[in-house]
Amino acid sequence: MKYEVKRIESPKIEGIDEMALNIANVTQRFISEVQRQEDELFTTSLRTMAEPPIKGEITKGKLTWRGIRLIRQQVGFDSYSWLEQRGKQISPKFHIGAKLPDLNVG
């Protein structure tokens, strides 16, 4: 028996390029906003909760000298990040939770 290869053509959808660009823009804006909020939270923590507090510019050397590390934890679809100084948490946990739509409605 000889099998024939059939090629399936993708449907032509008008405006698919614009939709892809719009999704990319929305995603980029979301990521930028999350990074801004995370930076604001961690900068405040470094200036108030670190021992000794960081004054002036925040540099890699100042963070290393103080023993400060960024900890990230992934639990399922949830993401947590916080700052630790020599094993002690010095910032609130920054939480990003992904919610999937409930497909069982109806």
Side-chain angles (χ1 to χ4, degrees):
M1 184 185 302
K2 190 172 186 181
Y3 291 101
E4 226 178 276
V5 177
K6 291 190 177 186
R7 184 176 187 148
I8 300 173
E9 295 291 327
S10 61
K12 303 275 189 250
I13 299 174
E14 294 294 323
I16 193 78
D17 294 333
E18 290 81 18
M19 286 184 354
L21 286 174
N22 190 32
I23 291 171
N25 289 339
V26 169
T27 304
Q28 185 58 45
R29 276 187 289 175
F30 173 75
I31 291 171
S32 297
E33 179 63 21
V34 167
Q35 286 177 337
R36 186 193 64 74
Q37 289 179 14
E38 191 178 51
D39 286 348
E40 184 178 305
L41 178 72
F42 291 159
T43 300
T44 303
S45 296
L46 289 170
R47 298 202 185 280
T48 59
M49 301 297 289
E51 196 56 45
I54 296 179
K55 294 183 169 107
E57 185 180 0
I58 297 172
T59 63
K60 182 179 178 182
K62 289 180 182 179
L63 296 175
T64 304
W65 183 79
R66 287 171 174 81
I68 297 173
R69 299 183 324 165
L70 173 63
I71 307 298
R72 293 195 187 269
Q73 183 180 35
Q74 190 76 31
V75 180
F77 290 112
D78 294 337
S79 174
Y80 299 91
S81 55
W82 65 93
L83 294 175
E84 282 187 1
Q85 184 174 19
R86 296 185 176 90
K88 179 184 167 202
Q89 183 178 332
I90 62 168
S91 74
K93 287 187 177 180
F94 189 80
H95 174 243
I96 301 171
K99 294 187 179 181
L100 298 176
D102 187 7
L103 301 175
N104 297 322
V105 176

